[in-house]
Amino acid sequence: MKMTIIQRTSLLSDLITEKRKEGVTIGFVPTMGALHAGHLQLIGASGAQCNLTVCSIFVNPTQFNDQNDFLKYPNTREKDIRQLYQSAAGVLFLPSVADIYPVGTGALETYDLGYLDRVLEAAFRPGHFQGVCQVMSRLLGMVQPDRLYMGQKDYQQCMVVRRLLGLLQLPVTLEIQPTLREPDGLAMSSRNTRLQKDQRDKAPLIYRTMLYIQSGLSAGSLRPLKKEATLELENGGFRVDYLEIADAATLEPVEHWNGKTELVVLVAAFLGEVRLIDNMLLNVS
Ligand code: AMP
């Protein structure tokens, strides 16, 4: 399939205006590059539902609370482009920081994300979701998609972006795709390439621990199960930021389960200096 690579915002804007006039349905897949099958799944889903799929690659500086993580974020640009040429993407948007933030990143707007900006990822990565909203609001304004494709892998981010769409009153449908995993259960992630061999061997324990939680789930206090699972990860070499079982709809932690509320387990843990996140819906039909 023919794909156009666009770097300048003004050129993207011209193309989108033209496509909108033609009545084309636009699907958007925002990424930070170092593409893997999880990203390509989102592009495939968009390609199946939309006439034009726009993929962006932009490593957004404002969503990194850890400078080291930003500087070490993997960059595989040539390989990304090769993969995209084989995909359903019609446009690859590759903006620079100045294209996205023409007046700099010094005094950016903030978004009222409520509870979502206080718990789990937000608690451990202060400012992260404000950064996500800052970049997403700009990209959505530029791409003007009908549908936005994101991965369940970043569960809280999906909830934040759903809220952002509401705050901005944008008529965009959020399409959440399941987490793609390696054969041993490790969730695919650009950051996995930073794991050393021994860390890579340990990494699937997150998945196995979530499965253990799923099989051990029963009504009543969830505390012993959470404690046991956290210890399991720590014994397996992880430094755990959080392991939480929460209401899948609100992300409120559930200490005492009534046996009915739909639950999600969410984990963030370090192997060395690489931080991995994952989640699993526990009892959602
Ligand atoms: P990133 O490049 O990490 O910002 O991710 C771009 C998009 O791909 C986000 O919507 C992610 O949730 C999604 N994504 C990342 N990893 C996976 C995966 N293993 N399975 C499905 N979607 C993913």
Side-chain angles (χ1 to χ4, degrees):
M1 167 140 185
K2 201 170 160 303
M3 182 179 77
T4 312
I5 300 181
I6 295 182
Q7 288 180 292
R8 290 264 85 87
T9 311
S10 57
L11 292 180
L12 179 73
S13 163
D14 292 348
L15 183 125
I16 296 293
T17 307
E18 188 190 310
K19 295 291 174 189
R20 283 249 152 253
K21 269 194 212 138
E22 291 170 12
V24 158
T25 312
I26 300 175
F28 180 35
V29 182
T31 81
M32 297 203 298
L35 301 182
H36 51 68
H39 297 113
L40 297 174
Q41 172 196 220
L42 303 183
I43 292 168
S46 172
Q49 293 182 314
C50 304
N51 309 116
L52 174 68
T53 294
V54 179
C55 173
S56 64
I57 297 181
F58 179 65
V59 184
N60 173 37
T62 76
Q63 73 187 65
F64 284 84
N65 56 312
D66 176 353
Q67 190 63 8
N68 193 39
D69 188 27
F70 176 59
L71 293 175
K72 295 203 173 157
Y73 200 82
N75 179 337
T76 56
R77 192 57 47 88
E78 279 175 26
K79 185 173 164 221
D80 291 352
I81 292 173
R82 275 202 306 276
Q83 292 191 88
L84 287 170
Y85 272 120
Q86 306 298 317
S87 79
V91 172
L92 168 59
F93 182 40
L94 281 175
S96 68
V97 174
D99 287 319
I100 299 292
Y101 301 109
V103 294
T105 55
L108 295 172
E109 74 285 0
T110 57
Y111 295 85
D112 176 10
L113 304 174
Y115 178 72
L116 289 175
D117 212 9
R118 292 194 288 275
V119 291
L120 302 170
E121 280 300 277
F124 285 91
R125 300 186 66 189
H128 169 62
F129 287 126
Q130 291 299 324
V132 167
C133 289
Q134 286 152 0
V135 71
M136 282 302 296
S137 62
R138 284 162 176 77
L139 289 171
L140 288 167
M142 292 170 187
V143 177
Q144 297 175 44
D146 299 283
R147 293 167 187 264
L148 173 62
Y149 294 82
M150 303 193 79
Q152 188 203 314
K153 158 85 169 32
D154 298 278
Y155 195 91
Q156 193 173 357
Q157 172 171 271
C158 289
M159 292 180 74
V160 163
V161 168
R162 195 183 291 289
R163 176 148 177 148
L164 177 71
L165 294 174
L167 289 173
L168 299 177
Q169 297 186 297
L170 290 177
V172 178
T173 307
L174 179 59
E175 302 279 357
I176 299 173
Q177 301 297 309
T179 303
L180 276 205
R181 301 181 178 281
E182 301 291 352
D184 60 11
L186 175 64
M188 290 183 185
S189 164
S190 306
R191 288 185 177 88
N192 291 352
T193 57
R194 292 185 53 209
L195 295 170
Q196 321 217 318
K197 165 85 177 75
D198 61 319
Q199 296 170 332
R200 176 62 189 81
D201 292 345
K202 290 176 182 165
L205 184 60
I206 295 184
Y207 180 63
R208 292 203 301 274
T209 303
M210 295 193 303
L211 286 177
Y212 177 77
I213 288 179
Q214 187 172 47
S215 63
L217 199 64
S218 64
S221 174
L222 297 179
R223 225 172 246 184
L225 191 57
K226 275 196 289 189
K227 209 169 156 191
E228 198 187 338
T230 307
L231 205 63
E232 183 74 13
L233 284 177
E234 286 169 355
N235 290 340
F238 285 88
R239 183 157 57 82
V240 180
D241 265 357
Y242 60 80
L243 180 152
E244 191 56 86
I245 302 175
D247 183 322
T250 64
L251 276 195
E252 298 269 1
V254 176
E255 297 296 339
H256 216 89
W257 187 44
N258 58 13
K260 287 196 204 110
T261 305
E262 294 188 334
L263 299 176
V264 58
V265 55
L266 305 112
V267 179
F270 282 91
L271 278 172
E273 60 172 25
V274 184
R275 187 171 182 275
L276 301 174
I277 64 168
D278 204 346
N279 67 81
M280 187 186 281
L281 291 165
L282 295 177
N283 59 327
V284 178
S285 46

